[in-house]
């Protein structure tokens, strides 16, 4: 489908749960989430129906996200069903990686093509600090498991946080020399309740190119990241700049939250419910939601917070 600003909408991000086994400071509050009633969340059948309706409207790429999608007990089955939907050509999944040692191979078998694994630091203490509860070794074991499972592509997502991990840019980027993976640095977004970060935490992506003048620009791959490569590396370095240089004109995505709200724009408070609808209801509702997608997400900065009114774990990053 083409939206009212001429953008071809081909990418759905489906959040399958708000729950997570970590508590990343920029993503969710320390005490987790106020657990919503089971009956208010989309069922597996509704999620698959939503994917079918979205695919009928031209969605060909699906990202399964959360919360942490791998805490969902039916995740493998859900990925299998979603990847079998006609028209869905690529299924990607975003995870913190800690449960991949058990789940990487079954997910690959269930039709997941690509994985994004979140990793903000290579320092054990800092990992525990940023995730509040996590163990770095578990995330690293998850990356190893993903590499063995034979995904088409593995990307590491690193949120750039001034005063926290800007001293690790080179060592995180060096992962692309050691492994056949991409590392993407993503600007910290000022979400509703994204922790206690001060203005110094919100650094622009250009810090990465300033720090590593040896980076060689490479052509974009159709995604929103500006791509570079280190000499002799096996993977690319991606820079994603939702704050300092928005990419709304190229935005081809819509989101559906775990409680069944379509979000045509990540940073808008507009939400349209599909909970309880059948296929035809979802088809009509997704179609009209796409037509309400705004031209851009509005100013974003430390003082101009996102208008999403939800934390990332309740939207799906
Ligand atoms: N639990 C999974 C994970 O850790 O990747 C998937 C959900 S998480 C919300 C998806 C992505 O959103 C992660 O890469 C995370 O780093 C990113 N994210 C969350 N809050 C963010 C923020 N305030 N700014 C930038 N990225 C954020």
């Amino acid at each position: 489908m083409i939206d009212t600003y001429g953008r071809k909408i081909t990418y759905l991000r489906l959040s399958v749960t708000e729950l997570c086994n970590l508590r990343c400071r920029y993503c969710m509050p320390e005490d987790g989430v106020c657990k919503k009633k089971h009956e208010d969340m989309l069922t597996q059948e509704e999620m698959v129906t939503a994917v079918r309706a979205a695919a009928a409207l031209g969605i060909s790429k699906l990202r399964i996200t959360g919360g942490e999608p791998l805490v969902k007990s039916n995740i493998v089955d859900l990925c299998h069903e979603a990847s079998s939907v006609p028209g869905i050509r690529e299924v990607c999944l975003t995870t913190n990686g800690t449960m991949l040692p058990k789940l990487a191979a079954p997910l690959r078998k269930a039709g997941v093509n690509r994985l994004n694994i979140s990793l903000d630091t290579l320092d054990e203490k800092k990992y525990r600090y940023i995730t509040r509860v996590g163990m770095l070794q578990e995330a690293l074991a998850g990356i190893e498991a993903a590499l063995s499972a034979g995904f088409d592509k593995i990307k590491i997502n690193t949120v750039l946080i001034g005063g926290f991990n800007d001293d690790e840019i080179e060592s995180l980027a060096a992962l692309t020399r050691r492994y056949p993976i991409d590392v993407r640095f993503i600007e910290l977004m000022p979400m509703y309740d994204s922790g206690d970060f001060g203005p110094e935490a919100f650094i622009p992506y250009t810090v990465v190119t300033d720090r590593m003048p040896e980076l060689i620009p490479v052509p974009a791959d159709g995604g929103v990241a500006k791509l570079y490569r280190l000499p002799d590396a096996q993977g690319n370095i991606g820079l994603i700049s939702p704050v300092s240089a928005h990419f709304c004109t190229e935005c081809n995505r819509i989101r559906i939250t775990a409680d069944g709200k379509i979000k045509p724009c990540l940073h808008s408070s507009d939400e349209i419910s599909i909970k309880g609808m059948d296929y035809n209801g979802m088809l009509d509702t997704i179609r009209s939601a796409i037509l309400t997608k705004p031209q851009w997400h509005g100013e974003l900065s430390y003082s101009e917070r996102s208008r999403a009114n939800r934390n990332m774990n309740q939207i799906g990053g």
Side-chain angles (χ1 to χ4, degrees):
M1 252 188 90
I2 309 283
D3 77 0
T4 41
Y5 299 97
R7 295 167 297 199
K8 195 170 175 195
I9 308 302
T10 54
Y11 181 8
L12 169 64
R13 291 189 169 206
L14 175 68
S15 174
V16 296
T17 180
E18 295 183 1
L19 305 179
C20 189
N21 56 337
L22 302 183
R23 295 281 179 276
C24 295
R25 288 173 185 268
Y26 47 75
C27 187
M28 64 192 294
E30 185 165 15
D31 51 0
V33 276
C34 146
K35 215 176 160 195
K36 291 186 178 152
K37 285 198 221 121
H38 191 63
E39 57 268 30
D40 292 337
M41 310 309 278
L42 289 184
T43 61
Q44 175 169 340
E45 197 186 334
E46 285 174 325
M47 287 181 190
V48 176
T49 305
V51 174
R52 283 175 44 228
L57 294 168
I59 297 290
S60 56
K61 175 174 173 179
L62 173 68
R63 177 171 305 281
I64 308 274
T65 181
E68 172 49 48
L70 304 195
V71 301
K72 210 170 160 60
S73 57
N74 59 350
I75 189 63
V76 173
D77 194 41
L78 178 57
C79 288
H80 176 70
E81 284 201 51
S83 66
S84 313
V85 169
I88 296 297
R89 287 206 284 272
E90 190 169 59
V91 177
C92 316
L93 185 144
T94 305
T95 172
N96 60 41
T98 56
M99 296 172 76
L100 282 174
K102 259 196 205 150
L103 287 168
L107 287 169
R108 181 67 188 110
K109 230 174 134 189
V112 175
N113 307 98
R114 294 168 165 243
L115 284 185
N116 284 7
I117 304 174
S118 300
L119 184 70
D120 299 326
T121 174
L122 292 168
D123 178 287
E124 230 173 284
K125 284 201 186 108
K126 284 164 75 177
Y127 187 84
R128 166 59 65 119
Y129 170 79
I130 202 73
T131 62
R132 291 194 180 104
V133 292
M135 286 166 63
L136 176 65
Q137 283 316 317
E138 292 185 352
L140 296 179
I143 295 173
E144 295 286 349
L147 284 162
S148 307
F151 290 94
D152 297 344
K153 188 91 193 170
I154 298 172
K155 296 180 182 173
I156 303 294
N157 281 352
T158 300
V159 180
L160 258 182
I161 307 171
F164 173 71
N165 61 5
D166 48 336
D167 59 338
E168 289 189 78
I169 290 172
E170 288 92 338
S171 43
L172 285 157
L175 292 173
T176 64
R177 285 199 163 117
R178 204 177 323 149
Y179 301 111
I181 56 177
D182 288 5
V183 172
R184 292 141 33 107
F185 293 100
I186 305 169
E187 289 176 348
L188 175 64
M189 292 183 282
M191 304 306 289
Y192 171 65
D193 177 25
S194 47
D196 39 11
F197 297 102
E200 69 291 347
F202 293 83
I203 54 176
Y205 73 96
T206 45
V207 169
V208 177
T209 42
D210 291 348
R211 252 341 125 67
M212 294 195 295
E214 67 274 32
L215 283 176
I216 305 157
V218 298
D221 61 0
V224 295
K226 298 165 197 37
L227 294 185
Y228 296 83
R229 208 168 173 99
L230 282 171
D232 308 323
Q234 303 183 62
N236 292 329
I237 306 289
L239 306 181
I240 304 183
S241 56
V243 178
S244 73
H246 73 83
F247 34 80
C248 302
T249 49
E250 296 147 56
C251 184
N252 60 352
R253 58 188 72 165
I254 53 164
R255 290 177 156 79
I256 297 180
T257 64
D259 58 350
K261 307 289 192 299
I262 306 170
K263 283 188 79 71
C265 169
L266 167 59
H267 295 296
S268 159
S269 59
D270 289 352
E271 298 181 349
I272 305 109
S273 183
I274 52 166
K275 176 69 195 161
M277 288 182 180
D278 62 9
Y279 174 82
N280 286 323
M282 289 191 192
L283 192 73
D284 288 346
T285 310
I286 297 172
R287 183 187 290 117
S288 46
I290 288 174
L291 296 176
T292 68
K293 190 172 167 66
Q295 191 167 15
W296 78 300
H297 58 45
E299 203 57 61
L300 269 189
S301 68
Y302 172 68
S303 46
E304 290 273 353
R305 317 290 294 179
S306 168
R307 287 146 292 273
N309 292 333
R310 286 177 180 242
N311 289 319
M312 278 301 262
N313 71 297
Q314 295 177 308
I315 301 173

